[in-house]
Each structure stands twice: as structure tokens, then as C-alpha cells.
Amino acid sequence: MLKVDLDQPDTDKIWLAAGFIRRGGLVAFPTETVYGLGADALNADAVLKLFEAKKRPLDNPPIVHVSDVKDVRRLVKEVPSGAEVLMKQFWPGPLTLIFKRSDLVPSVTVAGLGTVAVRMPRHEVALALIRACDCPVAAPSANLAGKPSPTSAGHVLDDLDGRIDVVLDAGSTLVGVESTVLDLTVCPPLVLRPGGTSLEALREVLGVVELSRVVLAEEALSVGEVRSPGVKYKHYAPDADVVVVEGELGAVVERVRGLVEVYKREGKRVGVLCTDETKARYVGADVVLSLGSRGDLAGVARRLFGLLRMFDCEKVDVVVAEGLPVEGLGLAVVNRLRKASGYRIVKA
Ligand code: TXA
Ligand code: MG
């Protein structure tokens, strides 16, 4: 683990880390969203090692990170005009764009797809590392598959210690949820994953932007404990079971309190994930963690994954989480919470 300065990363350490990537190794590094696990995107063997280290299924491709808009050209077949505008407006930043890929990109890097996901992170350490590698860097989030994404170097080691070469540690990440993934190979553009760049901001620039049905996969659900069909895997999940309670705030609080009581009676150790406005209402729970104020959705997003991991440290059996408004960064937060719950959503 190499500690690096957030604004002026130590050149020696960056070069050391880049050397590992150039030789086909794996380096975890901070971005503005979450920590990524980087490998040379053009080295198929190195990318295979990425999947192995994360225990990630081979059909889920990583994002390719660049340090300059110019680096996009050789990775893609064409740069649509909408992409030019978006890159100018949002890069470096938490927006990943899907392009038709060029033949330069190895098949394993894109999981056999005809497209490639590219982004330029807004973080001096990430940018310095990519520059020093002198290659595009494939980097999924640096967690074991299924776990919440890491927002600190400690989280990375909790999951991947002994499985990777280096972690560059520049402290906690700023945004806390991953980048927004926008597919530009379809018309109108389609958000595949909500994230650090809000849907509202994209619509302001592009006009029509659609939201993939999977983002708020709620219509596939009914009230109570029904799981979304086909969504068997858990994602972003702590070890504990997660239940999300959604609805009008007063009703949510009452329902959460009721569920806490039910689970306590079953002899379970119960956690509640809530907000500053409501945290005093859950005295019956064993562990109450607040995401911050409901008025500060950026703060909520920043704390989300760290708190989900905290419940594991606290060894709770079940986490009852309050839903949040689906506006701005709230859309990404609600998407992650629903996934973490394996779609156990209760309507208050
Ligand atoms: O903020 C982030 O995006 C972080 C940091 C490290 O940059 N990275 C990240 O990577 O979250 P990962 O691999 O955990 O998530 C990448 C997402 C996945 O949902 C994947 O399915 C999608 O991007 N993706 C990658 N390539 C794609 C493609 N060609 N078409 C559609 N989706 C793609
Ligand atoms: Mg991930």
C-alpha cells in the first residue's frame, strides 16, 4: 500500500505502480467515484487476471480509463457528435460512455461485445497513473464481485489483500458511487447505470436521454419480499440481508420500526440504515447508521458503500434501509440500495 498525495501525487510511487501495470500486473487506485483495480486494457492476459482477482464473471466487462480525450479515438470505431459534447462538458468526471469498439481492444476487455466503455476520471492520482502507464487502463471497481464498491484503500484490502500488486492510497473518494454509464450506440442515448453524473445534467445537454428499465427495476416487483425475476445475484451487498423500505417518509419510519421489532423477536441482530432526520426513531435496533441529511444527497452517496461495509464489521444479520428520493444522485443511491437488497423492497 503506497500513500500518495491527493493533489500532487509522488512521482516515484506513481512510476512504481505504473511499472506493475506495464508488466501485466494489477494496481488499485483512487478515482473521484470509487477505487478501481487497474490493468493494461490492451493486454488480454492482464485483463484476465483482473477478472480472476475480483472473482468477476467473464461476461461483465470493465470500464477502460483514459487520461486524455485524444486517447478515445484508437479505442473506438467512431465518436458520435453527442459524445464530443459530453466529453467536453463532463470529462474528466463520473461519466462512462459506451462506443462501438475498434479492433485494437482485446475481446476479453469487452467481454466479447462489439462495444467498449470509456471514461476519464477526475482524480489527479488516477490521471497521473494512466499517463505513466502510457496505455488505456481497464479498471472495474476494486472489490470482490458482489460486494459494495470500495471508497477507501482499506476497503480494497479488506477484499483483495494478497490478490493484487499495489494499492495507491489517497484517502476516501469524493463521489462515493460509481460513474454513470451512458450508451451512445443507441438512439436516444440510454443510461445503463445511474451514477455520479445526474440524469438531469445529461438531459440538459442532450435533450432526450432514456433510463434503462433495469435502473429502477421496480415494476418487476410487487409489494413485500418478492424478488425481481432473473435477478438472482446480489450486488453491492453486505453479508447481512438487506430490506429497503420505500414510500412517504412518515410511513417509512413506522414500517422500519415495525420490521425492526419483528426481526428482534426472531432473535436477530438488526441494523438500520437511515438519515439524520430519522435516526433518533430507531432505538429498538442494535446498530443505527445515518447516511447524513436527506437534503444532502451528494453526502448520502459519498457515505453509502462505507456504511454498508460497516454493517458487516458490526455483524448484523439484517439491515433495514430507508428509501430515498430518486432525484439527482438519489437515483444512483436508490439503484444501489435496491440491488444490495436483492430487490427485497417493502412499500410503506
Ligand atoms: O466509477 C466507476 O465507473 C468505477 C471507477 C473505478 O471508474 N468503475 C466501475 O467499474 O464501476 P465496474 O467494472 O465495476 O462497472 C462497469 C459497468 C458494469 O456495470 C458493466 O457491465 C458496464 O459498466 N459496462 C462495461 N462495458 C460495457 C459495455 N461495453 N456495454 C455496456 N455496459 C458496459
Ligand atoms: Mg463494480
Side-chain angles (χ1 to χ4, degrees):
M1 163 129 56
L2 299 173
K3 283 211 187 301
V4 284
D5 188 82
L6 187 71
D7 300 311
Q8 287 191 311
D10 185 322
T11 316
D12 292 347
K13 291 174 181 169
I14 295 293
W15 275 97
L16 183 70
F20 277 101
I21 289 187
R22 280 197 305 262
R23 291 190 298 275
L26 305 180
V27 174
F29 61 95
T31 77
E32 79 280 35
T33 56
V34 301
Y35 275 71
L37 181 61
D40 179 348
L42 305 182
N43 177 340
D45 291 333
V47 175
L48 255 181
K49 283 207 299 195
L50 253 189
F51 282 97
E52 270 163 31
K54 275 185 59 96
K55 302 187 181 169
R56 171 155 166 152
L58 282 166
D59 62 1
N60 190 9
I63 293 166
V64 177
H65 294 64
V66 297
S67 58
D68 196 301
V69 173
K70 285 201 293 289
D71 300 337
V72 175
R73 302 245 165 238
R74 62 186 188 135
L75 301 173
V76 309
K77 275 227 167 73
E78 60 190 1
V79 178
S81 61
E84 301 275 10
V85 179
L86 291 169
M87 292 189 293
K88 200 169 272 168
Q89 180 101 2
F90 294 105
W91 282 12
L95 177 64
T96 295
L97 301 175
I98 308 282
F99 297 92
K100 291 190 180 126
R101 77 174 174 99
S102 74
D103 295 335
L104 183 71
V105 189
S107 178
V108 62
T109 303
V110 293
L113 297 174
T115 54
V116 61
V118 188
R119 96 171 182 101
M120 178 172 166
R122 190 171 63 223
H123 196 294
E124 284 311 317
V125 174
L127 292 171
L129 177 70
I130 299 163
R131 267 183 232 120
C133 291
D134 202 23
C135 63
V137 173
S141 50
N143 52 285
L144 282 175
K147 288 282 149 199
S149 294
T151 52
S152 74
H155 295 161
V156 175
L157 288 186
D158 287 345
D159 279 15
L160 299 176
D161 196 11
R163 307 177 69 82
I164 62 178
D165 295 304
V166 179
V167 186
L168 291 171
D169 177 5
S172 291
T173 59
L174 213 85
V175 177
V177 291
E178 304 88 339
S179 61
T180 299
V181 178
L182 182 69
D183 190 348
L184 293 173
T185 67
V186 294
C187 190
L190 183 67
V191 169
L192 300 178
R193 178 181 75 181
T197 301
S198 74
L199 181 62
E200 293 89 336
L202 292 175
R203 284 185 173 150
E204 231 166 76
V205 172
L206 290 181
V208 185
V209 178
E210 276 178 7
L211 197 57
S212 165
R213 262 175 47 84
V214 300
V215 168
L216 285 176
E218 202 203 345
E219 59 270 50
L221 316 163
S222 54
V223 180
E225 302 198 342
V226 180
R227 276 162 204 272
S228 174
V231 190
K232 290 249 272 291
Y233 62 91
K234 270 209 191 173
H235 207 203
Y236 307 112
D239 295 333
D241 286 330
V242 178
V243 180
V244 191
V245 182
E246 297 182 348
E248 180 270 315
L249 188 57
V252 166
V253 171
E254 287 316 314
R255 196 64 188 268
V256 171
R257 287 163 58 95
L259 284 170
V260 168
E261 221 170 90
V262 170
Y263 291 127
K264 285 306 295 175
R265 243 182 278 131
E266 290 172 1
K268 290 186 170 139
R269 187 166 159 77
V270 185
V272 171
L273 183 61
C274 59
T275 47
D276 285 355
E277 288 81 358
T278 54
K279 65 184 177 195
R281 306 288 312 278
Y282 304 121
V283 284
D286 297 291
V287 182
V288 179
L289 298 177
S290 172
L291 290 159
S293 170
R294 295 187 153 257
D296 174 22
L297 288 173
V300 167
R302 192 181 320 123
R303 291 177 201 104
L304 177 68
F305 290 144
L307 292 192
L308 285 176
R309 282 175 180 264
M310 193 97 76
F311 284 115
D312 281 346
C313 302
E314 296 279 355
K315 302 253 177 302
V316 302
D317 301 305
V318 58
V319 176
V320 188
E322 291 177 355
L324 284 142
V326 288
E327 63 201 33
L329 284 184
L331 179 61
V333 171
V334 169
N335 169 264
R336 304 309 189 269
L337 275 177
R338 287 181 180 178
K339 281 194 164 183
S341 76
Y343 297 91
R344 295 177 76 203
I345 304 169
V346 172
K347 292 294 176 188

